[in-house]
Amino acid sequence: MDTLRAILLMVLAMALLACSDAFLKLASQHAPVGQVMAMLSLGGTALFVVLARLRRVKLRLAEVFERIVILRNAFEIIGAAGMIVGLSKIPLSLMAAIMQTAPLVVTVGAAIFLREPVGWRRWTAIGVGLAGMLMVIRPFGAEFTGWEIFPVIGVTGLAARDLVTRMVPQRIHSLAVSTYGFAAIFPVGLALMLISPAPFAASPPVFLYMAGAIAVTTAGYLSVTTAMRMATVSAVAPFRYTRLIFTTGLGMAIFAERPDGWTLAGSALILSAGLYSYLRERRLSRAAML
């Protein structure tokens, strides 16, 4: 019963995070990217501070200046900037497909930098997934705008963040790490606001969309955390890929997007490669335990 609840919570979390993408895209249509980043950072940090207080997690200034935390926050900034710029410029369906390559990029990084073993089957799956991403963005096609590069940079930054997170000392609580990451985005968003020729947008829709983004992002985070604690990772993790369905669906419903055949085929390759890579890793982990 707990496993079923955990799966439903994970699916709910992916739906909430897909809604976050939609809210951020809506906000970026009315406000400059720097303002969206700064507002998301402020709101997210405030909510995480409240969560830390409720769970009695101590937030220490000294932890913020530890080298590994600084490195993680740097990649957090790169990831957030790439994602928000991408959301403001390209269709949600493209964003959804590119974002699903993150686990594959993490596997590549783990193999290269952490010397984790990756067999030829998973390397093949990674190649298939990256080929799917190229089908989605079509860098040499007539419809390529250049903005598609930003979510690729964002995914790379977030993958690097996840790798560095593994090296953060256990004495620093995961909720504290998340709080520091959200707070680190604010100075960059503020700097972008100052250098941007676009004025500060104070219209009600912007604040409404940003409030929605902050609320569903935090709720999604809590749902993921709860789901991962209720059941085994192997039972819950594959359902992360439902975010592709939710995000693409919202793009079609809200922004009247119509993904073409190349986008759908590339998304299918990415989804298949990601699931195969995950299932292969799960099988190897089980074999190692025997």
Side-chain angles (χ1 to χ4, degrees):
M1 194 64 175
D2 283 345
T3 300
L4 178 59
R5 289 178 180 174
I7 289 172
L8 292 175
L9 268 177
M10 180 59 75
V11 173
L12 173 63
M14 294 304 101
L16 290 169
L17 293 176
C19 290
S20 173
D21 295 337
F23 276 126
L24 290 173
K25 186 171 183 64
L26 287 167
S28 66
Q29 293 180 341
H30 297 81
V33 169
Q35 181 180 340
V36 173
M37 287 183 65
M39 292 178 72
L40 180 65
S41 174
L42 277 178
T45 302
L47 285 177
F48 277 120
V49 167
V50 171
L51 288 173
R53 291 285 182 88
L54 292 174
R55 297 187 180 186
R56 298 181 180 178
V57 175
K58 293 185 178 180
L59 304 176
R60 299 180 175 88
L61 186 61
E63 294 175 346
V64 178
F65 295 100
E66 293 194 26
R67 290 183 180 180
I68 196 67
V69 175
I70 291 174
L71 182 61
R72 184 192 182 279
N73 289 347
F75 286 128
E76 182 87 68
I77 291 168
I78 294 171
M83 288 300 181
I84 292 176
V85 171
L87 280 169
S88 68
K89 298 296 183 180
I90 69 172
L92 272 182
S93 54
L94 266 66
M95 279 293 301
I98 295 171
M99 288 170 63
Q100 296 309 311
T101 62
L104 300 175
V105 178
V106 170
T107 301
V108 172
I112 296 174
F113 298 106
L114 302 182
R115 298 288 188 265
E116 292 187 6
V118 176
W120 68 269
R121 293 181 179 85
R122 278 196 290 166
W123 278 118
T124 302
I126 290 168
V128 170
L130 295 180
M133 183 175 69
L134 289 176
M135 289 173 63
V136 169
I137 65 177
R138 280 161 281 172
F140 303 108
E143 297 181 358
F144 181 72
T145 64
W147 293 110
E148 293 86 352
I149 298 298
F150 282 90
V152 175
I153 294 172
V155 164
T156 305
L158 295 179
R161 178 205 64 186
D162 291 344
L163 287 173
V164 173
T165 301
R166 300 183 186 184
M167 297 182 281
V168 174
Q170 291 295 324
R171 56 182 168 78
I172 303 179
H173 196 279
S174 58
L175 192 54
V177 173
S178 298
T179 304
Y180 305 149
F182 256 90
I185 299 171
F186 179 74
V188 180
L190 184 61
L192 289 176
M193 284 177 59
L194 295 176
I195 64 175
S196 173
F200 182 87
S203 60
V206 173
F207 291 100
L208 179 63
Y209 295 145
M210 288 307 304
I214 293 165
V216 295
T217 300
T218 307
Y221 170 85
L222 288 175
S223 297
V224 169
T225 303
T226 304
M228 297 299 282
R229 289 180 173 179
M230 287 178 64
T232 61
V233 174
S234 60
V236 176
F239 291 89
R240 286 180 179 271
Y241 288 98
T242 57
R243 185 172 180 176
L244 177 62
I245 300 171
F246 290 124
T247 306
T248 301
L250 287 173
M252 297 173 68
I254 299 175
F255 303 100
E257 297 175 5
R258 293 296 180 267
D260 59 18
W262 282 98
T263 300
L264 294 174
S267 300
L269 281 180
I270 294 168
L271 181 60
S272 300
L275 286 174
Y276 175 82
S277 182
Y278 170 77
L279 292 173
R280 179 65 183 169
E281 185 175 354
R282 176 185 173 186
R283 185 181 302 172
L284 291 174
S285 299
R286 284 185 172 181
M289 294 174 63
L290 296 177

